[in-house]
Amino acid sequence: QVQLTESGGGSVQSGGSLRLSCVASRPIYCMGWFRQGPGKEREGVATIDGAGILTYAEPMKGRFTVSRDNASNTLNLQMDSLKAEDTAMYYCAAAYAVRCDLGIHTFDYWGQGTQVTVSS
């Protein structure tokens, strides 16, 4: 089992920034962020594997930056130029999968989520 603990959510005005963090209880190869907005399905935001290969969903490119610190099993998500449509519960996810993509079914472990609210 891998426990994931997120932090860093909150409320911000449109155009602002937030930084999310997630700490895993043990090293794990594939880590990522997903989000679920009100009345919407959960969608991929970004992933990063143990080799540092990044994958971003198209709407996040240029605004969000995912990174990880393997020494501390920490995953980060820097979110800039936030928009109202970024309002969602953000979830950290992890998997031992070699292929680290944005598919929900790739991931075996999920955090409890942290709320991000962007006001216009």
Side-chain angles (χ1 to χ4, degrees), residues 51-79:
I53 296 175
L54 311 173
T55 302
Y56 290 97
E58 197 64 36
M60 290 71 174
K61 289 181 179 178
R63 300 191 299 125
F64 291 10
T65 303
V66 64
S67 61
R68 65 187 290 168
D69 177 1
N70 290 331
S72 61
N73 302 328
T74 300
L75 175 72
N76 300 302
L77 182 68
Q78 177 66 39
M79 304 185 293

Side-chain angles (χ1 to χ4, degrees), residues 34-45 59-60 63 83-91 104 115-116 118:
F34 289 75
R35 69 184 187 184
Q36 188 165 12
K40 298 182 181 180
E41 295 186 351
R42 192 169 297 189
E43 63 177 352
V45 172
M60 290 71 174
R63 300 191 299 125
K83 306 174 183 178
E85 51 262 44
D86 294 317
T87 295
M89 185 71 79
Y90 283 70
Y91 297 91
I104 290 175
Q115 179 68 39
V116 170
V118 184

